[in-house]
Amino acid sequence: MLRLRFLSLTFVVCLFLAGLNAGAVQQRTTVPLPDDNPNKVAAPDQKPQEAPATAGAADSGAAALAGDASWRQRATISGIKIGFRGVVSLKDVIIKTGPVPVSLNEVTSTEMVEGQQAVLQFKFADAAGAPMSGLKMAAWMDPMQGEKAADAATCHKKIQSFLQMQLSARPEVDLNTYYVLALTREPSIMVIDPRVGFSTSKLYTIIDLPAPGADWVQARNASRVFISMPGSGQVGALDAVTFRYLGNVNIGGKPVRVALQPDGKYLWVGVDAPGGSTPSGVAVVDASTLEVAARIATGKGHHEITFDESQNAYVTNQDEGTVSLISTQKLAKVKDLPAGRGPVALAYSARSKSVYVAGQGDGKITVISAESQDVTSSLAAKPGLTALILTADGRWGFVANGLEDNVLLFDTASGKFIQEYQVDRSPDQLALTTSYVYVRARESDHVRLIPLSDLGKTSHTAEFPAGQKAPGALGDLPASPVVASLDGDSAFIANPGDRRIYFYQEGMAAPMQSIEGYGKTPAAVMIVDRSIHETEPGVYSVGLRLPKPGRYDVPIFVDSPSLSHCFEFSVMVNPLLKKKNQVAVDLHPVKTNLQVRAGESAQVQFRLTDADTDKPRGALKDVEVTVLLAEGLRQMQLDAEPVGEGLYQFTFTPPQPGVYYATVQIPSLKIRRNQLPYLMVRAVEAQASEIPPAEKSGADQTKKQ
């Protein structure tokens, strides 16, 4: 049985604490570059009951950390020494024109300028000078009020509002966040902020794709996401820092599986079917420039891809029953190896230095030695294998059988099957957290859990409902529908049958929360981590792309011991960045009170100004508005009429209570949906006289984007 766990915190607080603990659970040894976005939503749902200890005037220039002059800002709070600095990132400095425009990251080695990649670091030491590890901290960047640094009272007020995730007080940059991305069967990617409270929409943005995506992979530094689109013969690139769609690479044929080699240099794309002169095999794409570096014919059929530690790639050829061994240095095929009938999955174990290949047609697992580069053994099961996964240490392997409705456990040390687990009908996807293997079945609305603590000792499993409907035929994407959350003890599960994403905390009988599909059909999920991590003892780091020029407060909050303080940070104008706006106009909401009564007409006004001159942009005849009910599928298409001085308005009647998003597109200016900040209207059941003052609209806040 699953262990029972008493949870007294709300879902939002659970997620936030999971994010803060991520640095301790998955401590990094390198600085994450870059992994933050200046277009932020608010921070954790936690409020300090009393003002934490703050630095006094006499302490702010203390001799703490005096041995390292690079920590230019320092404070001593209740004996604890804190240092703060910004470090210029020299990574990914590329000046190139091509399918993906890349901005200059560096002007000088010391100045912090807009658009530049940088790292903010916080250093904590106790009274004796020893590093303080394992702290739960949060930090933000927010413009100074009137260019004046925050005093203690203002600093504490900012921290309180950010911890409460108030829509009316969002920071310019949230340094604690992570996002759940959902690949939908419609050609789009949903970006979800799962930490937002129950009463507020979790939808951050939707990115339109040229064609439906099949598979995706994230760059090692979390700066980009690559998406295969078989229908268009392309691979797309998403900027995971700004959530802007960057462009496409024409692959040809039918690109499906995508994988990044261990050093991150090349993106490997499995091309499943010939398209004109495009061979069935793999296309190798430079992950920085998005140029095709090589096309390698391997064989017919679907292709799965994995890598060993000796700079070799392994590519399955399902129709030919082979695995192609390819040198990642020479970008040339070395040999083809037999791999049973219909190889459909493979994985590499660094522990045994072997590749394990599951054959669907004959139920055989072929073992290929990375050292001898030859087949060394095999494990015999029954036909119908669909998925294969190895534990993080490479010791144990799991293979699902969609015909036998089971999962088999095998030992990579002995090369033998040692346990069988009965699961639900048609298992086809396996995923790992710290404690469990998650088994998704196409014909079941439940997800089965195999505990990792008792491997080989028992065939017992647990399960929980992950929706009302089975994924069925809608769950046929190769991209995983399950992703472990940052704490490793919970997961997000996409169910396309329900058009929802479920959050499951291990130990519970059912998901703690579900997230709407907002009119889309989520089929796969991914987490983009932008939170602060402890990168060396006592040093906490976060990468980001610097926001617009100005002077910023950098409030920090430590949970235990309770500390708060505001540092200062300046971002300078980048003279090398071309001031070319992505869109011709800026959108400004006229009214911040956009709370109305359901069933009554709501008039929404906004102003359009020229992005270069900031002057009103009037007389546009094709300002189109799409209104979407966040918690349902209803959409309304409207036209906004100009009323002079750059002012536009539209009227709609919300048919039911809920949160409505309005996106604006202007074909004559080539402005598409989601390129301008959205407008948000909240329809309530209360009488108009009872409606309290509304918080600022989402459009107000997204202006900071």
Side-chain angles (χ1 to χ4, degrees), residues 189-206:
I189 294 173
M190 292 168 46
V191 181
I192 302 293
D193 183 354
R195 304 167 310 141
V196 175
F198 295 117
S199 63
T200 305
S201 170
K202 300 177 186 297
L203 182 64
Y204 183 72
T205 190
I206 295 178

Side-chain angles (χ1 to χ4, degrees), residues 420-433:
E420 177 182 342
Y421 304 91
Q422 288 300 314
V423 297
D424 299 302
R425 290 182 56 191
S426 304
D428 69 332
Q429 291 279 2
L430 302 174
L432 284 168
T433 63

Side-chain angles (χ1 to χ4, degrees), residues 498-554:
D498 278 7
R499 306 183 85 174
R500 285 178 176 267
I501 300 168
Y502 293 90
F503 172 76
Y504 176 71
Q505 179 69 49
E506 292 171 2
M508 305 298 291
M512 293 180 65
Q513 177 68 304
S514 68
I515 302 171
E516 290 284 349
Y518 303 102
K520 305 293 184 179
T521 309
V525 283
M526 170 189 291
I527 285 182
V528 173
D529 182 11
R530 304 243 189 84
S531 58
I532 300 173
H533 292 264
E534 186 174 2
T535 52
E536 59 182 275
V539 177
Y540 300 79
S541 307
V542 60
L544 75 160
R545 186 167 296 165
L546 295 176
K548 62 186 179 182
R551 298 185 64 198
Y552 293 86
D553 292 319
V554 182

